[in-house]
Amino acid sequence: MTKSVPPAAQPPVRPATVQPWWLRVTHWLNVLAVVAMVMSGWRIYNASPIFPFRFPNEITLGGWLGGALQWHFAAMWLLVANGLIYLTTNAASGRFSRRFFPLTPRGVVRDLFAALRGRLTHDDPRHYNQVQRAAYLFAVLDLVLLVASGLAVWKPVQLGWLCTLFGGFQGARLVHFIAMAGLVGFVVVHVAMVALVPRTLRTMITGR
Amino acid sequence: MTHERKSSILMSDAPVVRDGEAILHEARAPMARRVSEPSRRAFLTRTLSLGGVALLSGCSLDDNASVESALTRISRWNDRVQAALFRKSVLAPTFPASAITRPFPFNAFYTMDEAPVVDEAEYRLELSGLIADKAPWRLDALRDFAAPRAAEQITRHVCVEGWSAIGRWGGVTFADFLRRIGADTSAKYVGFKCADDYYTSIDMPTALHPQTLLALTYDGQTLPRKYGFPMKLRIPTKLGYKNPKHIRAIYVTNTYSGGYWEDQGYNWFGGS
């Protein structure tokens, strides 16, 4: 990874903003929405499991099916509204193309190997390496898939075309579950990486 | 969740001291301050309960009255959104006979042998509310009314729990029946009282949907007890709990009257 080094004799300036305020706000609102959706979703799943296991009730939200549904259908408004603000601001400001592209499979593999050998530097937090780009893009697209399959499960008649796209009601349910598992997998890795590079947590709170 | 104010409660701005007693004093100071300022303690408690959610416990939020009322308000908002999304012209998918789920699952808040036993000879369907002809109906009169207007559909029953099953229901279009009894179709709600003490209510546009059936048969047979004898309302555009079984009374009203599960927190519109 090559990048320009700032001239040595620059006058002291305030450290540049790594994450703009709107990104930090939407990120943390997204955390709230996703945590509420996933935990209540597990409770809803438990009412009629697709696979031969249930989630322990202690890690679910809502107390019972009706309560979990209330949480799920309340948090969904936050998730969607916040997600739309994130997507439009990100695209309109040019941040999206600046931060996430170019992105190539070859680049992802190269950076992944570099990371595994401990040779990936973190000296400019404004620059995402290709593994980060791929991971964050995955999270964004996976959330879009979660919302779309969720809409299909919610309205299999009124949004019948969407439901058909997922292979019918049970198909949409399965896609919704798999997309949830993908997002939870992302969160696990994401939180582990934050634990390895704690500075990024401060960046996501203060912006610097 | 409201945060009354932001504070940096655990920060001490006391200068560095080396004297033993002063160190002790300094150590005690932040604690004393925490105890003496109840609003800060409240903030801390609230922050911790919020953190509890993040820590996947969530318990403290479940039985909180204000959270519950907020969730109920959002659920009413979801009712309005679903009513706006609803289109009478959008039909639920229908299936071939080969797709029928066999056996079709029994589902109720009681076991199958607790299902009500309704005596055909004694049965009278009661009508009340904004209905012109409130005369009760015997079961054979209902069958006579349905026979020339017979409607049958193979549709998917979607349960709020997430499972679904395809079944074949026959009877008469509910809109036909509402017109026959002179129901005020400009009213907001149609409500149902059932022989198993179940009750629910639906919006008028759904009641008038062309696929909403007053079902008297299941899979070509008289509706069996386990599926709601003598009749049920079959609404393929709604979740299962909005399909009342063993109906003994129907009323039309402009007053919201909830339902058995709805009063406990299930969404009232329950559309699909």
Side-chain angles (χ1 to χ4, degrees), chain A residues 146-174:
Chain A
L146 263 169
V147 169
S149 57
L151 283 172
V153 171
W154 186 44
K155 292 279 159 274
V157 174
Q158 302 302 327
L159 302 176
W161 57 272
L162 189 62
C163 199
T164 309
L165 214 66
F166 288 114
F169 180 76
Q170 295 300 338
R173 245 188 116 200
L174 191 63

Side-chain angles (χ1 to χ4, degrees), chain A residues 64 73 77 155 158 170 173, chain B residues 78 82 87 162 164 264 271:
Chain A
W64 71 295
F73 289 131
W77 294 104
K155 292 279 159 274
Q158 302 302 327
Q170 295 300 338
R173 245 188 116 200
Chain B
N78 281 342
Q82 290 179 87
R87 292 279 173 280
S164 71
Q264 297 175 59

Side-chain angles (χ1 to χ4, degrees), chain B residues 8-17 22-31 33-34 40:
Chain B
S8 51
I9 39 175
L10 296 173
M11 293 293 175
S12 169
D13 48 7
V16 179
V17 283
I23 288 171
L24 217 70
H25 180 78
E26 187 197 3
R28 284 198 194 112
M31 288 168 70
R33 220 186 306 165
R34 274 172 66 185
R40 288 188 169 184

Side-chain angles (χ1 to χ4, degrees), chain A:
Chain A
M1 310 275 287
T2 59
K3 55 192 176 43
S4 56
V5 178
Q10 236 180 19
V13 286
R14 294 177 64 205
T17 302
V18 177
Q19 303 289 11
W21 67 269
W22 60 265
L23 184 107
R24 285 174 276 138
V25 171
T26 51
H27 173 267
W28 291 111
L29 287 176
N30 197 48
V31 170
L32 273 183
V34 164
V35 166
M37 299 254 15
V38 167
M39 288 173 61
S40 57
W42 287 346
R43 189 80 190 205
I44 298 167
Y45 166 94
N46 281 355
S48 179
I50 309 174
F51 302 105
F53 69 87
R54 284 184 160 83
F55 295 95
N57 282 339
E58 293 74 31
I59 58 164
T60 67
L61 178 63
W64 71 295
L65 175 60
L69 285 160
Q70 282 192 332
W71 274 102
H72 210 65
F73 289 131
M76 114 187 143
W77 294 104
L78 176 61
L79 183 82
V80 170
N82 187 58
L84 287 175
I85 291 170
Y86 165 83
L87 286 175
T88 50
T89 318
N90 214 5
S93 66
R95 181 188 179 275
F96 199 76
S97 50
R98 213 165 47 236
R99 284 281 175 103
F100 292 97
F101 297 97
L103 178 66
T104 60
R106 178 191 286 255
V108 173
V109 172
R110 186 192 60 212
D111 282 2
L112 186 63
F113 276 108
L116 291 174
R117 279 176 292 158
R119 289 202 192 140
L120 206 58
T121 53
H122 259 100
D123 45 3
D124 184 2
R126 279 169 298 174
H127 184 88
Y128 290 157
N129 65 54
Q130 299 237 351
V131 179
Q132 283 177 297
R133 291 177 189 184
Y136 297 152
L137 269 181
F138 168 80
V140 170
L141 295 175
D142 192 61
L143 274 162
V144 171
L145 184 66
L146 263 169
V147 169
S149 57
L151 283 172
V153 171
W154 186 44
K155 292 279 159 274
V157 174
Q158 302 302 327
L159 302 176
W161 57 272
L162 189 62
C163 199
T164 309
L165 214 66
F166 288 114
F169 180 76
Q170 295 300 338
R173 245 188 116 200
L174 191 63
V175 171
H176 198 57
F177 183 92
I178 293 167
M180 176 281 294
L183 187 68
V184 171
F186 165 81
V187 169
V188 168
V189 175
H190 186 53
V191 171
M193 295 313 287
V194 171
L196 287 175
V197 193
R199 188 181 59 174
T200 53
L201 180 63
R202 194 192 63 200
T203 304
M204 197 43 95
I205 295 169
T206 66
R208 297 198 165 82

Side-chain angles (χ1 to χ4, degrees), chain B residues 243-262:
Chain B
N243 292 235
K245 299 183 284 191
H246 316 284
I247 298 169
R248 57 169 188 79
I250 296 175
Y251 59 94
V252 175
T253 178
N254 281 310
T255 310
Y256 175 87
S257 58
Y260 177 89
W261 287 115
E262 294 88 330

Side-chain angles (χ1 to χ4, degrees), chain B residues 186-201:
Chain B
S186 69
K188 282 187 185 164
Y189 309 107
V190 182
F192 305 88
K193 292 173 190 165
C194 307
D196 53 4
D197 292 331
Y198 193 75
Y199 60 99
T200 189
S201 54

Side-chain angles (χ1 to χ4, degrees), chain B:
Chain B
M1 247 91 2
T2 52
H3 292 176
E4 276 161 6
R5 58 173 158 161
K6 298 211 189 296
S7 64
S8 51
I9 39 175
L10 296 173
M11 293 293 175
S12 169
D13 48 7
V16 179
V17 283
R18 303 190 200 290
D19 180 87
E21 214 176 84
I23 288 171
L24 217 70
H25 180 78
E26 187 197 3
R28 284 198 194 112
M31 288 168 70
R33 220 186 306 165
R34 274 172 66 185
V35 177
S36 65
E37 291 188 33
S39 69
R40 288 188 169 184
R41 290 185 65 190
F43 168 70
L44 186 71
T45 316
R46 252 164 250 162
T47 312
L48 286 177
S49 65
L50 194 65
V53 193
L55 290 169
L56 311 181
S57 86
C59 319
S60 58
L61 289 170
D62 290 344
D63 40 29
N64 185 315
S66 60
V67 169
E68 207 170 286
S69 82
L71 289 174
T72 304
R73 277 200 302 279
I74 301 174
S75 197
R76 294 290 84 84
W77 153 256
N78 281 342
D79 287 338
R80 290 199 291 277
V81 172
Q82 290 179 87
L85 269 177
F86 180 81
R87 292 279 173 280
K88 232 171 96 179
S89 56
V90 174
L91 299 183
T94 54
F95 300 85
S98 58
I100 294 174
T101 307
R102 297 184 193 280
F104 190 84
F106 168 84
N107 194 251
F109 56 96
Y110 44 79
T111 60
M112 203 175 341
D113 49 309
E114 289 170 312
V117 180
V118 178
D119 179 29
E120 185 167 337
E122 301 278 307
Y123 178 81
R124 300 287 183 280
L125 174 66
E126 290 162 26
L127 304 174
S128 61
L130 305 169
I131 292 172
D133 181 1
K134 295 193 183 75
W137 288 60
R138 301 172 63 96
L139 195 52
D140 48 10
L142 273 167
R143 285 174 182 148
D144 289 346
F145 176 73
R149 302 168 179 81
E152 191 173 70
Q153 286 153 22
I154 300 174
T155 50
R156 185 184 290 278
H157 168 112
V158 175
C159 182
V160 67
E161 292 171 347
W163 58 267
S164 71
I166 294 171
R168 177 181 172 210
W169 291 271
V172 61
T173 304
F174 193 45
D176 281 351
F177 182 74
L178 288 175
R179 275 189 281 270
R180 163 65 185 79
I181 60 177
D184 177 1
T185 52
S186 69
K188 282 187 185 164
Y189 309 107
V190 182
F192 305 88
K193 292 173 190 165
C194 307
D196 53 4
D197 292 331
Y198 193 75
Y199 60 99
T200 189
S201 54
I202 61 168
D203 53 298
M204 185 61 81
T206 296
L208 298 174
H209 187 274
Q211 285 176 313
T212 299
L213 293 187
L214 200 59
L216 295 163
T217 67
Y218 180 77
D219 202 14
Q221 312 284 318
T222 300
L223 195 66
R225 179 180 156 215
K226 61 180 172 178
Y227 299 148
F229 182 84
M231 80 159 141
K232 71 172 278 172
L233 201 72
R234 171 60 195 147
I235 318 173
T237 58
K238 285 216 189 290
L239 294 169
Y241 66 91
K242 301 300 295 188
N243 292 235
K245 299 183 284 191
H246 316 284
I247 298 169
R248 57 169 188 79
I250 296 175
Y251 59 94
V252 175
T253 178
N254 281 310
T255 310
Y256 175 87
S257 58
Y260 177 89
W261 287 115
E262 294 88 330
D263 293 352
Q264 297 175 59
Y266 279 20
N267 177 260
W268 177 77
F269 196 89
S272 71

